[in-house]
Structure formats: C-alpha cells, structure tokens
C-alpha cells in the first residue's frame, strides 16, 4: 500500500507561519535585547556577569559591598527575564550561587585560602539582605512568567 505524498490529501493541514507576539501579548520591541537562554546559559550568564561586576567593583570602588549588592539586583532581573519559558525555574537557583561567586573578588580576606574563605563567609553573612532581595526579585519574576505560560497553554488546548 502506498502512502500519500506529503502535503497532499485531505488530512494535510496548512502550516501557519509564526508571528512575533502571536502567543499572546504585544510583539517584542526590536530595539531591546530579548535573548532566550537555556538553563545552562542562564547560569553561565549570571555567574560571568556577577564575577565581572565583582571584579569591577573591587577595581573601581575598592570592593564596596553596597555597590556589589546594588549591581546584583538588575542581574537577577535580567536572568529571570532572559531565561527560556521551559527553563525559567532555574533562575532563582542560579542567582544565589552567582552572588557567592561574584563576591570572591569583593570579599576581604587575609592571606591564603583560609583567609579568603573566611572573608567570603563574612561577606555572605553581612550582605544577606542583598542576596535575599535579588533572589526574591528573580523568584517573583519567574512566578509571574510561569503563571502566564501555564495560562497560555491552557487557553490553547
């Protein structure tokens, strides 16, 4: 028995072209970056950004923990916004890890590995407010995005 040619026959449906913003909502602004990062890409972006910002903070501001904390908040928001819909739940997990990695250049420590580790633990303890605020911001953005994604999927089916 022969199969019908693809695209021919009554069972074939026309293919619709995907339009920007067709899944609901306005089309994205072409002037603004709108990357969609995988879970691994989200982690790498956040880790690299925080380490670079920690190093720049140490270089330009003399390792100011307040400057580092303020710079942490937009990185958290971007990480949560730029994650793909399927990988969006990785953002609140990655941001605290990135905070600790980026704190390495900022943390004051004596000589040696033990001194640096003690400075890192002290920095994490004293800057916990920034850590919680950034993680909470990423978590709220992720929850809103996830709820909207679930609602869109339910409407389609």
């Amino acid at each position: 028995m022969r199969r019908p040619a693809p695209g021919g026959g009554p069972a074939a449906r026309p293919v619709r072209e995907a339009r920007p913003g067709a899944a609901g909502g306005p089309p994205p602004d072409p002037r603004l970056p709108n990357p969609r990062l995988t879970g691994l890409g989200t982690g790498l972006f956040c880790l690299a950004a925080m380490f670079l910002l920690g190093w720049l903070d140490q270089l330009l501001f003399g390792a100011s923990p307040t400057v580092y904390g303020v710079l942490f908040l937009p990185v958290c928001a971007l990480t949560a916004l730029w994650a793909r819909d399927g990988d969006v739940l990785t953002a609140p997990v990655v941001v605290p890890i990135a905070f600790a990695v980026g704190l390495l250049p900022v943390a004051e420590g004596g000589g040696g590995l033990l001194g640096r580790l003690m400075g890192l633990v002290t920095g994490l303890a004293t800057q916990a407010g920034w850590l919680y605020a950034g993680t909470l911001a990423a978590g709220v953005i992720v929850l809103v995005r996830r709820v909207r994604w679930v609602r869109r999927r339910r409407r389609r089916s």
Side-chain angles (χ1 to χ4, degrees), residues 12 19 22-23 31 39 42 45 98 120 130:
R19 297 182 323 248
R31 296 173 293 177
T42 302
F45 162 73
L120 178 65
W130 294 111

Side-chain angles (χ1 to χ4, degrees), residues 47 50-58 63 68 96-110 112-113 115-121 123-124:
L47 286 169
M50 289 315 301
F51 188 76
L52 179 66
L53 288 175
W55 181 75
L56 285 174
D57 177 28
Q58 199 272 336
Y68 179 75
I97 298 167
F99 185 85
V101 168
L103 200 59
L104 286 171
V106 178
E108 295 189 22
L113 179 65
R116 179 63 71 179
L117 184 62
M118 197 62 175
L120 178 65
V121 170
L124 285 171

Side-chain angles (χ1 to χ4, degrees), residues 4 15 18 31 39 45 51 53 59 65 70-71 80 89-90 120 125 132 144 151 157:
V15 177
R31 296 173 293 177
F45 162 73
F51 188 76
L53 288 175
L59 186 68
V70 168
L71 293 173
L89 296 176
T90 60
L120 178 65
Y132 293 151
V144 168
R151 285 184 181 168
S157 58

Side-chain angles (χ1 to χ4, degrees), residues 67-127:
V67 171
Y68 179 75
V70 168
L71 293 173
F72 175 64
L73 297 177
V75 172
C76 291
L78 289 176
T79 301
L81 288 171
W82 287 351
R84 284 189 327 183
D85 287 338
D87 295 327
V88 75
L89 296 176
T90 60
V93 175
V94 168
V95 284
I97 298 167
F99 185 85
V101 168
L103 200 59
L104 286 171
V106 178
E108 295 189 22
L113 179 65
L114 233 53
R116 179 63 71 179
L117 184 62
M118 197 62 175
L120 178 65
V121 170
T122 303
L124 285 171
T126 59
Q127 302 306 312

